[in-house]
Structure formats: C-alpha cells, structure tokens
Amino acid sequence: MSFNLADYAELLEDLSPHSQDALRANWHEATRVFSPRGLDNYLKGAAAIRGLGKGDSLVETWIEEAPMVAKEVGEDVVGDLATASLELASRTSGTVIELLLATSAVAANRLGDAELFIKYLRFINPLIAQAPRGVRPMLNKLEVLFQHLTLGGLRRWALWGAHAHRTNYEEQIKYFSLDSRESLAMLQKERKGTLLVDVQRRINMYLRALWARDFFMRPTSGDFESREGYRPYIEDYLLHVPDAFDDFTVEGQEPVSGLELYRATAAHCGAHVVETKLPISAEALNPMQMAVISVIEDARVEALSIRRFPGLKQLWSRLHTATPEMNGSMGDYLNRLARALLDDSYQDSDPWIVEGRTLFALAADRLDSNLSSWDIGVQLAHSFGRKRMPFNPRTDLLSAPYRDDNRYFWAFEEFDFNKAAGAGYESVKQVRKYVNVMEMANEIDVETAGDDAEEIWVLGTELFPYENIGDQYPGGGKSFNELEGKEPVSDPFHYSEWDYQIQLERPAWATVLEKRAKSGDLAIIDAITAQYKREIHRMKFLLDAMQPQGVQRIRRLEDGDEVDINAAIASLTDIRLGNQPDPRIMMRSVRKTRDFSILVLLDLSESTNEKVQDQEYSVRELTQQACVLLADAINKVGDPFAIHGFCSDGRHDVEYYRYKDFDQHWDEVPKAKLAGMTGQLSTRMGAAIRHAGHHLKLQRSAKKLLIVITDGEPADVDVRDPQYLRYDTKKAVEEVAKFGVTTYCMSLDPRADNYVSRIFGQKNYMVVDHVQRLPEKLPLLYAGLTR
C-alpha cells in the first residue's frame, strides 16, 4: 500500500518550504516504519512542534528522528515523544528540545523497550526543574552515559548531581558534562557490569541454537530506589529480564560474568516455555505449598533440559550458593533443596532435603508432566510442617539470580493470595457446606466462631433473619450467607504516592484492602463507660449547648430584617433623656443547622501495643477509651460519624478496617468491633488518608472533618527514607482538601512537633503531652472543631 504525501496537505500547510523539503526527503523512510495511524500521528506531531514557534530546525529534527525512534521501539511512543516536547516548551529553550529529539533515537536504541523509553521521557521533565543548566550537557553525553548506565542508574546519577549542585550552576554544568571528578565517581558507582542491549543479539542466537525456535526478550528497569533489577519473569510468552547484570561473585570461587548470567537466565526461562504443556492449578494451595512446588517445577524443567543439553548443568550449578549450614528460615531450606535437586555432588544430610531428593529421583520417568511437581511439592510441604518454621512469601525467596518468579506456570482460578498469605503455613481450609432451611434452623449457631471456623453452613437461597425489621437490625439488611464465614477481602483500591525526590507521583503505587474488623467483648466498652462516668457528666452541658438547631434571632444589629422592639424603646428613652442612643435597634432571624460529617481514623500499628509510661495499659487501649467517649459525644449531638482504622505491611497491603460507618447506629455491633481492635504492622498514613477521603467524599455534608489519631510518624517496612512517607502524607492531606475535607491530627508522639506541623499545617494538629488525658481531650477537640 502506497502513501501519498499530498493526502496530508491540511496538516502540512503551516510548514515552511524548507521543512516541507525535509519531509519529502524522509517520507520514504517514514512510510516504511509507520502504519497509516502512525503516519497521522507523525505529521500531527510536526504541525504541533511547528506551532511552538521555535524555528524550522526543531521541526526538521522531529521529521528526521521520529521515524528512527519508531523503528527502534515501535510507533506507539511517537505520541509520547511529541507530548514530552510540547510540555518542555514553557520550561526550557528550543535548543534543549531539539537536542532531546536529536538524541531520542540513541535513547530508544540503548533502552530497547517502549515502556523504558516512555519512562526516560518522563524523567527528563522533572530533571529540567531541578537542574536547568545540566540537561543540555547531559543530552550531549547521552550515548556515553547509556553505554555504562541503565535507566535507573542514569536517574540516580543525574538526581545526585541535581541535588548536590542545586544553586551552583557552573559546577552543575561540569557535573553533567562529565568534566568533574565526582561526576565520574558517581558514574563508576552506578555502572553495571553487562547491559542487555549489548548482548541481546547473542542471547537470542544462543536460545535459537538450543531450542530451534525464536524467543522474545524485553528488558525491565528494576527498582529505582533499591538499585536491584526486577526478578526475571515470563508473561504473554515474552521473557522479561533485567536490563543489566553485574558479575556474580562468590567468595573463594571464580566470578560468573554478566554474559553467562544472561545465558543461564534465558536458558531457564526458555526451558519453562518449552517444557510447560499445561499450567498448574493454584486452587486450594497455600503460599508455602506453592513455594515448594515452584522449586520442584524449576528442577523438573531443568532436568529435562539437561537431558538434551548436559552443559546446562554446569552453567546453572555455579549460581547456587546454598550450604548445609543455612537453616535460619524456610527460604534457606528452599535454596538448599533447589541446589540438591540440580547438583548431584552437593552433600546435604538434612532429612527433609534427603526426602526431596528421593521423591524426585523416584519420579524420574514421570517428569514429562508437571503433575509430578504438584505431588512432590504438596508432600514435601506437609513434611516441612514438622520443623515448625514459619513461611514468609515476601522474604523466603530463591537466591539463585537466574531463576524467574514462576508466575508463568500457575493458573489462579479461585485463589486469593492475600487470604492465603494471612493464613500462614498452618492455614485451615474453610469448607462452605450447602444445607437446606430446616437444617440451618435446627442447628445451634456457634457465636464464638471466627475466621478460623473449619465449616460454614450456607443456604442455597438467600434467607434474611426475622429480626430484620426497619433500621434497628445490626446486620443492615444482610442475609445469613453474608453474615457468616470469612468475609472476602475487598476489591483493591489503588492510590498514587508522591515521591519528593523526583517530584512526581507514582501512579497506582499503594494498594488498600478493606478487611472485616473482628468483634470483641462488649464488657470492655461498658467498663470504659463506667470508668469515665464523671467526664461524661461533665461534657453533658457542653454538648447540650451544641445541639440547638432551627431559627435563631440575632439582636442588636444596625442593619436587619425587622425592628427589635426592646432595643428601639431603650434608644427612644435615651433620646428623651438627652443621651446618645444606641443605633443597633434591628434584628435578623437566622436558620441554624449543623451539617457535619466526621471520620475518626485510628493508627493501628504495632507500636500502639506499647505501654503508656508508668501505666499498666497500652496506647491502643487508651485510644479505644478515647474513641468510646468521642462516639458517645458525637452520637448525642447527632452528627453522622464513622470510626475507621489502618495498618500496613508494605505498599501492596495497606489494611483498612471500618469499625463504624456513617449510616450505622452507635450500638452493640460497632462497639463490639471497637472492643476487638488490635495493633499490628506499620503506618502507611498517606494511602489510608486518601481512602478515608474517598469515604468522606461520598457524604453530602457541607463540612467534612477527618481526625487522625496516631502515636508516631508515617513509616513502613519497604521504605528506608524517613522523609518519603512524610512528604506523601502531606500530599495526601492536600489532595483530600480539594474535596472539602479538613484534616486534623492528634499525635501521641512527644517528638511530633518536628514533623507533624509540616504535614498537617500549623493550626491543624495537637500533640498530647500527657497521653493519659487523651479520653478527656478528644471530645473537647471535636466540640471546638465543629462549633
């Protein structure tokens, strides 16, 4: 199919004659690279860049370079390249934009992947704000930089220079021109041993020689902060491998080069693709069983490959470093088992390792099917239970750098990873038994059964309790089926996070999961009410003053709706007595209504279990007492309110508990949930505030108030920079403020003055110096904020 340039005359009419000549000279190459849709975007990009008014040279650079970029990483990125150029127009000169376009083909060639190229474009924009004089010399040295650095390494190198020479422009230019010692030192520090782009052609030929078929590899940039590449993985039949490998060194042994590591990785991933005929079902398996099965499946595909290519055994064996002395975690045992199944010369007398070797040897004639991996793995996982050693799916990982994460061969049908991970290695599978109405009615309900119940009875049709009349029933109109058994974890809520170092949001970075709050003993709440009986009585008069609503008269006004008779008579009397009369003789009738929605957000991290200084009770118990008094106060006034809590275990698991919702009565059900609250894990506050803002946004009240009660600063297990979550929490407070939500923090941390004012604002926080006074102060705070 031929494409005629004359068909696009409308898009080209604003181009200068010289630019049109350049387009004609490059048109043949463009038609070879672009589809009709791509050509349209290509020419629209030329017209848009022409509209910037920065000269013909910039337009002609686009005309020459865009087809070369599309040839390297695909035509879909051309729109992103045009958008990035247009966004830079108001922040830098046309020369820098032209240089960005002129080096874009180099970046696309060295990165070798459309997604990485888009990340590179997104990195340039904030860098111009932080190092305005450094971008031009960096782009001039881009080819040299990409010969030594990955995209993550380039970002770290550039941001270090931007922060170190933020105000010294001369040093900034020297750094980004590679003319300073510290610049070369940082380049050497971030340098990786072997880049995929340099060896990808050889690895593809190597795989084709092994398996007589083509494989497609894509680089992954890894984690910018940790300096570690992503683990290899297989998805949609594409082999995703790190964009760089350092040499693998083991003390006392000859190092394995990055090239050999790429060969081992590619051969292992290729073995999975070739030898896996059917996926393995993950249904009814817990995470520990899946981890053991994964080790056996890795050994199975490697054993089949070694039968055809014996040299692979030596290549893979050099990358296993487990020893019999490693016995501190289940991950150590998994690594020992992986080495034992691959390397016959490895000696390990542990009974579990011996059992694994024996079972794998007996299944030698059944390795063509991955059912053998399932059988062996389940049996070994059961045997490992005798060691009474816990399994953590996030830390008990295989250490061999060439092995992938095994997502390729799993079939997740009705499997919930978060639920299985929470159950632990001794998890009990809960059975849901379908029964008829009479069996359900005649069976005695076990009220103390919780999420660990082994059997839950379920009706084939929905049956609602007879008590469900009006709004008084605590189930809120739920059927027996909804009220019993494990409540499924909610659909994930994904929220962005603010990275203050690069001044960008990480989209969909944190995941919030709403979970059912466990019920506790109602006697705990009754005891709190009895303990603070005097404070409740003292607050009665304050709360009564907050309640009145309706029409109120405001007197003694100079301008009003009607005459205040009493004030008018008094003024007339003053006139007759010869005194100066008071001119405020009018009054106005004003309708007074309360229109508040209040959400109390509790920090439920592990630190709340610590004892209050010189007291026998914990911070969590004190927070519990304060919430009971606050709920009684708000309930008396009549404002809609909710009590929620949160904790976190990394950005992928921010647990969110709803003890009381806005439309729920303050009765036995929320009180029992509040009595059962516990403290655990960490404090990823920004994601929790965004989710609380989501619930407040759904309220129709004119004024929305979010009260955060915490005993420490934001922190989480996967964040090392203490400033990162502070800045993200500040950003979260600003985001919910756009929805009309006022956020107020009550901190129990005596050192909170150092950071809490920067997060919530000078007037939106209170540090409780004497934690024991929290139950007294919280209701008074509510009264002051909603007056």
Side-chain angles (χ1 to χ4, degrees):
M1 181 178 180
S2 62
F3 301 98
N4 191 347
L5 186 58
D7 296 337
Y8 300 92
E10 293 182 0
L11 295 174
L12 309 177
E13 59 185 10
D14 292 335
L15 297 184
S16 68
H18 193 271
S19 298
Q20 292 186 17
D21 291 340
L23 182 59
R24 293 187 189 95
N26 289 273
W27 184 247
H28 177 68
E29 180 65 22
T31 56
R32 291 178 54 195
V33 173
F34 290 113
S35 66
R37 182 176 64 86
L39 278 175
D40 189 59
N41 291 334
Y42 170 55
L43 296 176
K44 285 180 178 177
I49 291 176
R50 169 64 179 172
L52 295 177
K54 293 184 180 289
D56 291 342
S57 178
L58 178 60
V59 180
E60 290 158 16
T61 303
W62 166 268
I63 291 171
E64 295 171 1
E65 297 297 329
M68 299 173 63
V69 172
K71 187 177 181 180
E72 295 290 346
V73 291
E75 66 176 29
D76 291 339
V77 304
V78 171
D80 295 280
L81 179 59
T83 301
S85 302
L86 297 175
E87 288 177 348
L88 294 176
S90 62
R91 311 182 68 180
T92 188
S93 65
T95 306
V96 174
I97 301 175
E98 183 178 344
L99 194 55
L100 173 68
L101 294 176
T103 58
S104 58
V106 173
N109 175 266
R110 297 300 300 181
L111 293 172
D113 180 70
E115 185 178 346
L116 294 185
F117 182 74
I118 292 173
K119 289 181 179 179
Y120 162 72
L121 295 177
R122 292 174 180 170
F123 153 67
I124 294 295
N125 202 329
L127 182 62
I128 284 182
Q130 299 180 54
R133 304 288 178 86
V135 174
R136 184 185 300 184
M138 185 193 78
L139 292 175
N140 282 322
K141 297 289 185 179
L142 194 64
E143 186 169 5
V144 175
L145 291 169
F146 269 132
Q147 286 176 355
H148 299 89
L149 301 176
T150 63
L151 177 58
L154 177 67
R155 293 175 65 180
R156 289 188 292 271
W157 174 84
L159 291 178
W160 192 94
H163 293 158
H165 307 297
R166 187 181 299 272
T167 56
N168 191 333
Y169 292 138
E170 291 184 5
E171 289 298 323
Q172 193 177 106
I173 294 172
K174 287 183 180 180
Y175 181 91
F176 284 91
S177 302
L178 295 178
D179 290 337
S180 65
R181 290 184 179 181
E182 58 185 13
S183 175
L184 295 176
M186 286 300 298
L187 180 67
Q188 186 65 30
K189 178 182 177 181
E190 300 297 343
R191 180 174 181 171
K192 287 287 186 178
T194 305
L195 303 182
L196 176 63
V197 67
D198 293 329
V199 300
Q200 187 168 357
R201 179 178 173 83
R202 279 185 280 177
I203 299 301
N204 280 330
M205 294 174 63
Y206 175 71
L207 288 177
R208 185 168 181 80
L210 286 178
W211 309 113
R213 58 175 287 184
D214 288 324
F215 293 86
F216 298 95
M217 289 191 296
R218 289 186 60 180
T220 61
S221 65
D223 186 358
F224 166 63
E225 291 180 349
S226 67
R227 293 179 168 81
E228 296 292 335
Y230 292 126
R231 290 185 65 189
Y233 65 94
I234 309 169
E235 193 169 70
D236 297 329
Y237 301 100
L238 295 175
L239 312 185
H240 297 258
V241 296
D243 53 2
F245 267 134
D246 286 325
D247 293 348
F248 184 76
T249 57
V250 180
E251 187 175 354
Q253 299 182 16
E254 185 179 351
V256 179
S257 68
L259 176 61
E260 290 297 296
L261 191 50
Y262 270 121
R263 285 177 177 159
T265 302
H268 178 79
C269 293
H272 273 303
V273 174
V274 172
E275 302 296 350
T276 302
K277 305 299 188 294
L278 294 172
I280 300 177
S281 174
E283 189 175 3
L285 295 176
N286 62 34
M288 188 187 78
Q289 291 171 328
M290 293 174 63
V292 180
I293 293 173
S294 294
V295 174
I296 306 301
E297 178 64 10
D298 282 339
R300 183 187 75 85
V301 299
E302 288 185 351
L304 293 174
S305 302
I306 290 171
R307 289 178 184 177
R308 300 164 66 177
F309 313 108
L312 289 175
K313 182 176 181 178
Q314 181 181 1
L315 176 65
W316 286 328
S317 298
R318 296 173 63 192
L319 299 170
H320 286 267
T321 59
T323 61
E325 291 74 25
M326 296 170 55
N327 56 9
S329 66
M330 185 175 180
D332 293 336
Y333 281 95
L334 292 177
N335 281 291
R336 289 165 60 183
L337 177 63
R339 182 175 183 181
L341 297 180
L342 173 66
D343 187 359
D344 297 332
S345 63
Y346 171 66
Q347 302 294 324
D348 198 319
S349 59
D350 185 88
W352 189 70
I353 305 296
V354 173
E355 181 185 1
R357 268 180 161 167
T358 304
L359 292 174
F360 192 75
L362 293 175
D365 58 343
R366 299 187 289 116
L367 294 183
D368 290 337
S369 171
N370 57 20
L371 291 177
S372 58
S373 300
W374 198 96
D375 294 336
I376 298 173
V378 170
Q379 185 171 343
L380 284 177
H382 179 73
S383 300
F384 193 85
R386 293 193 291 267
K387 293 185 180 292
R388 311 300 295 174
M389 186 173 290
F391 172 69
N392 188 329
R394 293 181 176 84
T395 58
D396 292 334
L397 304 173
L398 297 180
S399 60
Y402 72 93
R403 288 197 168 177
D404 63 296
D405 64 2
N406 288 329
R407 72 179 68 176
Y408 174 72
F409 58 77
W410 286 111
F412 296 90
E413 294 173 348
E414 294 182 1
F415 179 75
D416 188 328
F417 182 85
N418 288 317
K419 188 186 299 183
Y425 72 99
E426 291 183 332
S427 61
V428 178
K429 183 173 175 10
Q430 189 178 79
V431 178
R432 298 183 78 85
K433 179 180 178 181
Y434 285 85
V435 297
N436 58 42
V437 176
M438 293 308 298
E439 288 177 303
M440 175 70 82
N442 293 329
E443 179 63 24
I444 298 176
D445 183 25
V446 183
E447 295 181 354
T448 58
D451 283 354
D452 57 348
E454 296 182 9
E455 184 175 282
I456 295 296
W457 284 16
V458 182
L459 290 171
T461 58
E462 295 291 4
L463 176 66
F464 291 84
Y466 68 88
E467 301 94 342
N468 190 359
I469 301 174
D471 296 331
Q472 300 303 315
Y473 179 65
K478 294 183 179 179
S479 65
F480 278 116
N481 287 348
E482 293 177 299
L483 292 171
E484 299 297 333
K486 289 184 181 179
E487 180 181 1
V489 176
S490 70
D491 292 335
F493 296 86
H494 300 292
Y495 294 99
S496 60
E497 278 193 355
W498 178 256
D499 190 328
Y500 77 100
Q501 290 186 328
I502 60 177
Q503 292 294 297
L504 284 176
E505 280 191 343
R506 298 175 181 263
W509 191 252
T511 303
V512 176
L513 299 171
E514 290 190 354
K515 297 187 176 182
R516 172 189 284 178
K518 295 182 179 180
S519 297
D521 188 1
L522 269 175
I524 296 175
I525 306 300
D526 295 336
I528 293 173
T529 305
Q531 177 184 353
Y532 290 95
K533 187 174 181 179
R534 180 176 299 177
E535 285 78 2
I536 293 173
H537 181 72
R538 191 187 310 158
M539 286 188 295
K540 179 178 182 297
F541 302 100
L542 174 63
L543 300 175
D544 286 340
M546 296 174 61
Q547 279 185 307
Q549 301 187 62
V551 178
Q552 293 185 2
R553 288 179 175 176
I554 303 178
R555 300 178 181 273
R556 302 182 70 80
L557 299 175
E558 290 188 14
D559 183 19
D561 299 328
E562 54 185 314
V563 176
D564 184 349
I565 298 297
N566 294 332
I569 293 174
S571 296
L572 186 59
T573 303
D574 287 337
I575 292 174
R576 291 191 174 183
L577 291 175
N579 299 328
Q580 180 68 31
D582 189 343
R584 296 174 297 174
I585 61 171
M586 304 298 290
M587 66 180 180
R588 181 182 294 122
S589 298
V590 179
R591 183 177 180 84
K592 291 287 187 178
T593 59
R594 291 184 60 83
D595 195 11
F596 284 94
S597 289
I598 300 100
L599 193 152
V600 183
L601 185 62
L602 307 177
D603 170 9
L604 302 177
S605 58
E606 178 66 32
S607 58
T608 59
N609 294 322
E610 298 176 1
K611 299 291 185 182
V612 177
Q613 186 176 5
D614 301 327
Q615 302 294 334
E616 293 298 321
Y617 45 79
S618 65
V619 174
R620 175 186 55 79
E621 292 170 330
L622 198 64
T623 305
Q624 194 176 52
Q625 296 168 9
C627 281
V628 172
L629 268 68
L630 177 64
D632 284 338
I634 302 178
N635 188 57
K636 181 174 180 60
V637 174
D639 293 334
F641 71 100
I643 301 176
H644 296 172
F646 74 96
C647 58
S648 64
D649 187 16
R651 67 184 179 94
H652 295 297
D653 185 15
V654 181
E655 299 180 5
Y656 195 91
Y657 299 93
R658 292 158 60 180
Y659 297 105
K660 182 194 176 300
D661 286 322
F662 290 102
D663 57 352
Q664 198 172 10
H665 289 286
W666 177 241
D667 52 21
E668 287 78 6
V669 173
K671 289 180 180 179
K673 290 181 178 179
L674 200 62
M677 77 178 195
T678 57
Q680 57 186 346
L681 306 176
S682 303
T683 316
R684 205 176 198 96
M685 194 178 294
I689 288 177
R690 289 181 178 94
H691 194 57
H694 161 74
H695 285 291
L696 277 167
K697 185 181 178 182
L698 301 177
Q699 298 302 304
R700 296 184 178 180
S701 303
K703 300 177 181 178
K704 303 177 179 69
L705 176 63
L706 174 61
I707 301 177
V708 181
I709 303 177
T710 178
D711 69 326
E713 62 182 311
D716 211 341
V717 294
D718 58 351
V719 177
R720 293 174 297 280
D721 183 356
Q723 297 292 335
Y724 174 81
L725 288 180
R726 293 183 186 177
Y727 278 97
D728 174 63
T729 304
K730 182 178 185 295
K731 192 72 173 180
V733 171
E734 295 171 355
E735 289 175 11
V736 299
K738 297 176 183 178
F739 308 134
V741 178
T742 301
T743 306
Y744 194 95
C745 177
M746 177 169 277
S747 178
L748 312 181
D749 180 7
R751 300 178 301 275
D753 293 296
N754 298 327
Y755 59 86
V756 72
S757 62
R758 294 197 298 270
I759 295 176
F760 295 94
Q762 291 291 342
K763 298 181 179 180
N764 291 333
Y765 77 95
M766 174 191 295
V767 178
V768 183
D769 298 324
H770 300 286
V771 182
Q772 298 87 339
R773 299 187 60 191
L774 177 64
E776 176 186 345
K777 283 195 171 186
L778 191 55
L780 296 176
L781 170 66
Y782 154 71
L785 292 175
T786 60
R787 184 170 299 164

